[in-house]
C-alpha cells in the first residue's frame, strides 16, 4: 500500500500529514498489495471535508468525512472506510463459504399428462 497526498486541495500541516499516515495504516490488513490510498482535504466556509480514496486491482472505493477541523474530518472518513472494508471482507467470506458448500442433488419429477 502506498499513500499519496494530492496537493490540489487544502494544504495539510506536518502534524496533519503524520495523522493521515497513522490513520491509513489501519487499512493495510484489508487491502491487497499494490493498493494505494489517497486523502483529499477540502475546506468549505464552515467545515472541512476529508475524502479517502482506495485504489486496488479489485476496484476503487471512496468515503467522505466532515468535521470542524481536518483531524475530525479524517477520523469520520476513516471510520466510514473501515466499516465499508469490513463489510466487503464479510461479504467475500460469505461468498467463499457458499462456493465451498456441496450442491444438494435434485430430484426431477416427470409427470405424464
Amino acid at each position: 500500500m502506498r499513500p499519496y497526498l494530492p496537493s490540489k486541495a487544502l494544504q495539510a500541516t506536518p502534524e496533519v500529514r503524520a495523522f493521515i499516515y497513522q490513520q491509513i495504516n489501519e487499512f493495510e490488513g484489508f487491502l491487497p498489495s499494490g493498493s494505494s490510498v489517497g486523502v483529499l482535504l477540502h475546506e468549505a466556509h464552515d467545515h472541512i471535508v476529508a475524502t479517502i480514496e482506495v485504489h486496488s486491482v479489485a476496484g476503487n472505493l471512496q468515503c467522505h468525512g466532515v468535521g470542524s477541523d481536518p483531524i475530525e474530518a479524517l477520523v469520520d472518513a476513516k471510520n466510514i472506510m473501515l466499516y465499508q472494508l469490513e463489510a466487503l471482507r464479510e461479504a467475500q467470506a460469505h461468498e467463499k463459504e457458499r462456493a465451498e458448500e456441496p450442491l444438494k442433488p435434485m430430484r426431477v419429477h416427470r409427470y405424464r399428462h
Side-chain angles (χ1 to χ4, degrees):
M1 176 173 76
R2 62 172 207 270
Y4 66 92
L5 300 169
S7 60
K8 66 181 181 179
L10 178 71
Q11 292 296 322
T13 63
E15 294 83 19
V16 171
R17 284 180 176 265
F19 186 76
I20 289 170
Y21 285 110
Q22 178 185 8
Q23 297 299 303
I24 63 176
N25 278 335
E26 293 185 36
F27 303 146
E28 195 161 342
F30 293 98
L31 303 175
S33 61
S35 299
S36 64
V37 179
V39 177
L40 297 170
L41 295 173
H42 301 281
E43 187 174 15
H45 56 75
D46 62 345
H47 61 276
I48 305 282
V49 177
T51 303
I52 299 176
E53 299 174 344
V54 173
H55 303 280
S56 72
V57 294
N60 300 328
L61 189 60
Q62 185 179 56
C63 294
H64 304 281
V66 177
S68 59
D69 63 356
I71 302 294
E72 186 180 332
L74 285 166
V75 169
D76 188 33
K78 180 204 69 157
N79 290 336
I80 293 168
M81 179 65 77
L82 284 174
Y83 177 78
Q84 289 187 2
L85 290 171
E86 287 173 3
L88 283 171
R89 179 185 278 176
E90 272 187 41
Q92 289 172 344
H94 183 67
E95 187 176 301
K96 186 177 180 181
E97 286 176 10
R98 289 188 73 195
E100 292 174 354
E101 288 180 5
L103 296 176
K104 295 179 183 177
M106 295 176 34
R107 289 183 62 175
V108 178
H109 297 281
R110 296 180 190 214
Y111 297 101
R112 295 179 80 185
H113 297 276

